[in-house]
Every structure is written in structure tokens, then in C-alpha cells.
Amino acid sequence: MMARGPAVDSAAGGPGRGRGGGLLLADAPSLYFRAFYGVPRTVRAPDGTPVNAVRGLLDVLARQIVEIRPRGLVACFDADWRPAFRVALLSSYKAHRVAVPADSAGAPAVGVGGVGVGGAAGVGGTAGVGGTTGGAVGGDAAGGGGGDVEEVADDLTVQLPIIDAVLAAFGIARAAAAGFEADDVIATLATRHRDGAVDILTGDRDLFQLVDDAAGVRVRYAVEKFAVVDEASVTARYGIPGRAYADFAVMRGDPSDGLPGVPGIGAKTAAALLNRFGSLAAILAALDTPPAPPAPPAPPASAVSAAGARGGGREEGMAVAARRRLLAGRDYLDAAVGVVAVVRDCDVGEVDGRLPVVPADPQAVVALSERWGLAGPCTRLVSALGAVAAG
């Protein structure tokens, strides 16, 4: 099971906030899910066990370590994939991903803890994985959302303890916090880090809300070959202020997370509102402010120009239709803010997040690579660590 996750020792960071010398935070669930669906399922260990997600994750880490050249690296995991506090605010949150309680034969779905931190049961010194059962993955003993487990393919479930064992053998720090998602752990570590830039490896747009040029926090977006996402990039993509992504996502919605958004408020309207008011909080404040009485009718000859001056069908800078839709969705908006916003101060303890120079346990790395057919990716990761250490 997951132990309490680490907060990065300040020694992990390097001087300055430019390229290199900073902290690399890996959104492990996002990366291994993408690897599982992106790397051929034919990639298997000698005994036939699928290892495509393991191989893909290790290769991503090796390439990005060489590209970014950080001094610190932490792989962040879900301790709870569907936290109860988010479900309490919005019951639809990730509801479509909850595993069916029973299979067609009536047997209960099996919940398997995610990747462990500090050593997982069933992963021993001989690089063995004992008794892993597929079907569904839950982040902790209680499961997400008060006992729910996430439906995950068996071929991925069996790889999670292998991921844990390989990262442990290399000495790559792992982090999780009870009751929280990897996004929250990443947000907490990024917020705490004060000694160098922070690069976040993820395929999840939710983490765009952490982009902060002044603090040196940026996202390397896996969906676009790890393109760098900074405030200018957020603005270019969505036409919104660089730090307004969370507010934008609340209004627009995100079906992949079970966020319906406000009916009738699409991406363009959400962007226009954020540019007009600056934040969702300001938009909600405007909703709470009674609109000014309508101006008296203008003379017919100037009707068109007067309507333009008043914004035609607008109240206090907001279109009447948009106001009506936002008011109708007010309960959703109030709840969704707490669902979408990452937690920047979750209970993450201390850890030495310094990038290893060489594997912490070379013999375990060899054993793992031989048992699971991972000689190529393990060799590439060793080379990446050596390249950074050599400067």
C-alpha cells in the first residue's frame, strides 16, 4: 500500500529558474496509463506478463531527464483516485470510471492498491510480484470516493507492482498523500519548492492550473510530445489569462472527469467572461450584484449607437443569456470550484528527492530487467542518470 508521500528536500533544487537544475515532478498515473494504451500490448516479459506500461514509463523518464536535466525527481501517485471530499462536492466526479461491483458471474470486483511508496506487499528482493489480481485499481485500502475502485484493465493492474519495484531499485523518490490524488501531491510539492524551476510531466490538462511563470512552474504536456506549457501557451490555447485554467475548466466542463460544466457556456463564452472579469470568483461576485436599472429608451435616430454603447442585451458587462445560464448553474459552480482546484497543502512529508546518480540497488535493477524483459529501458534510464551527473 502507499506510504505517506514526500515533500522534496530543498537540496534537490538547483540555482536559478531556467533550464536545468530544478525539480521534475512526474504524474505517474497519467504517464503509465498513456504508456499502456500507446505502447503495443505485445511488449511482454519472458513469462508472458505484459510490461508495455512499465517500458513506456521508464523510457519517458529517461528521455525527459536528459532533456530537462533536473537535480530533483519525484514520481507522484494517487493514494485515492476519487477522493471523498471531491465526491461529496460533486457526485458525478469520475463516477463513470467506478468499477462495476460484480462481474457477470456475480463475483465482486477486486480492488488492487496502486503503486506503493516505500515498498509494496508482494514485491520482494528477488523482484517478484506476488498474488496481484486484476480487475480494478483503488488508490488505498479504503478505495476512492468512500470505497469505490477504478476500473482498470487487468493487463495494466499487473504492471503496477513492477513499476514500484523498478523505481525503488533506481532510488527514484515516490510520493503520495492519504486521501488525495497525484495532482494534489504535485501541486503541494511544486508550491513548496523554492530552489529552481519546476517541470511537471503529465498528460492531464488539469495541471495547467499550476503554470506560473514567476514561480518557474511549467507543464511538459505528454499529449503533444511533452511540449512546454507556460502562461503564454495557456493564453494561446484557450484565449484566457495564463493562470485562469481551473476557472475555465469549471465553466466549460470536462466529461473525462465527470464535470458537466454550465449548459450553454462553452469554451468561447467561458474565455470571454474570464477576460472580462479576470476570475470565476469575480464572475460569481458580479452575479450576486443586482444589475443596474435599464437606461431609458434612446431616440429612434440613435437607437443603434445607444445599444452599442450599452452593450445591447448586457448587464454590467455580462450578456443577459450568460447571466441567466450562470445563475441556473450556480450550485454546480460553487461545488465544482473545490473539485477542480488542486490542493496545494496536502499532507506530504519530507523526502530526499535528489536525482540519483546511479541506481540505489544495481543488483535489483539487473534482476528486474532480466525477469521482466526490461534490459533496454533500464539501460537507457541508467545512461540518462549518468549523463546528467556528468553535466
Side-chain angles (χ1 to χ4, degrees):
M1 305 310 296
M2 290 211 182
R4 299 297 180 266
V8 178
D9 186 331
S10 61
R17 292 185 178 275
R19 173 188 168 101
L23 173 63
L24 180 59
L25 298 174
D27 181 357
S30 172
L31 297 176
Y32 66 62
F33 267 100
R34 286 189 58 78
F36 177 70
Y37 289 104
V39 178
R41 307 277 181 97
T42 53
V43 176
R44 294 178 177 265
D47 67 357
T49 300
V51 292
N52 58 328
V54 186
R55 178 183 291 268
L57 175 63
L58 296 180
D59 280 341
V60 163
L61 291 178
R63 287 194 299 269
Q64 294 304 310
I65 286 170
V66 171
E67 169 69 19
I68 298 169
R69 310 187 80 80
R71 290 184 60 191
L73 168 62
V74 181
C76 302
F77 293 89
D78 296 328
D80 193 334
W81 72 280
R82 189 174 182 243
F85 76 91
R86 288 193 167 104
V87 176
L89 289 169
L90 194 67
S91 62
S92 64
Y93 181 63
K94 294 185 177 180
H96 58 295
R97 303 189 204 172
V98 176
V100 178
D103 61 21
S104 57
V110 178
V112 180
V115 175
V117 174
V123 180
T126 58
V129 177
T132 302
T133 306
V137 174
D140 56 19
D148 295 328
V149 289
E150 184 175 16
E151 187 169 7
V152 176
D154 292 3
D155 280 358
L156 174 56
T157 300
V158 74
Q159 298 184 59
L160 302 185
I162 305 173
I163 290 172
D164 186 56
V166 173
L167 294 179
F170 271 95
I172 293 173
R174 292 153 292 155
F180 294 95
E181 300 177 63
D183 289 7
D184 303 309
V185 176
I186 290 169
T188 298
L189 297 181
T191 300
R192 291 182 182 178
H193 191 67
R194 292 290 182 270
D195 193 9
V198 176
D199 285 279
I200 300 167
L201 301 181
T202 187
D204 187 351
R205 292 179 299 178
D206 288 345
L207 290 172
F208 287 2
Q209 67 186 277
L210 292 175
V211 166
D212 186 334
D213 290 353
V217 179
R218 58 199 173 188
V219 166
R220 302 276 181 148
Y221 192 36
V223 176
E224 298 177 2
K225 298 182 179 179
F226 295 96
V228 174
V229 177
D230 55 13
E231 289 186 33
S233 177
V234 171
T235 299
R237 289 165 186 266
Y238 305 109
I240 59 176
R243 300 187 198 177
Y245 184 80
D247 291 347
F248 175 76
V250 166
M251 289 189 286
R252 179 198 59 186
D254 186 348
S256 69
D257 280 338
L259 299 172
V262 178
I265 301 293
K268 290 183 178 179
T269 302
L273 288 167
L274 286 170
N275 281 302
R276 168 65 179 84
F277 292 95
S279 69
L280 180 55
I283 293 169
L284 296 179
L287 289 180
D288 294 334
T289 303
S302 59
V304 174
S305 60
R310 293 195 305 269
R314 306 182 74 84
E315 296 174 350
E316 297 298 319
M318 184 183 300
V320 173
R323 174 183 284 274
R324 183 175 65 251
R325 290 163 181 160
L326 292 170
L327 286 171
R330 181 60 185 266
D331 288 345
Y332 160 76
L333 290 170
D334 288 340
V337 168
V339 174
V340 173
V342 289
V343 177
R344 299 172 185 250
D345 59 353
C346 62
D347 184 14
V348 184
E350 293 296 327
V351 73
D352 181 357
R354 288 175 293 183
L355 186 73
V357 175
V358 294
D361 189 342
Q363 291 183 339
V365 170
V366 171
L368 286 161
S369 65
E370 291 178 351
R371 175 163 186 180
W372 303 114
L374 298 170
C378 284
T379 297
R380 288 188 284 274
L381 186 50
V382 169
S383 296
L385 297 177
V388 174

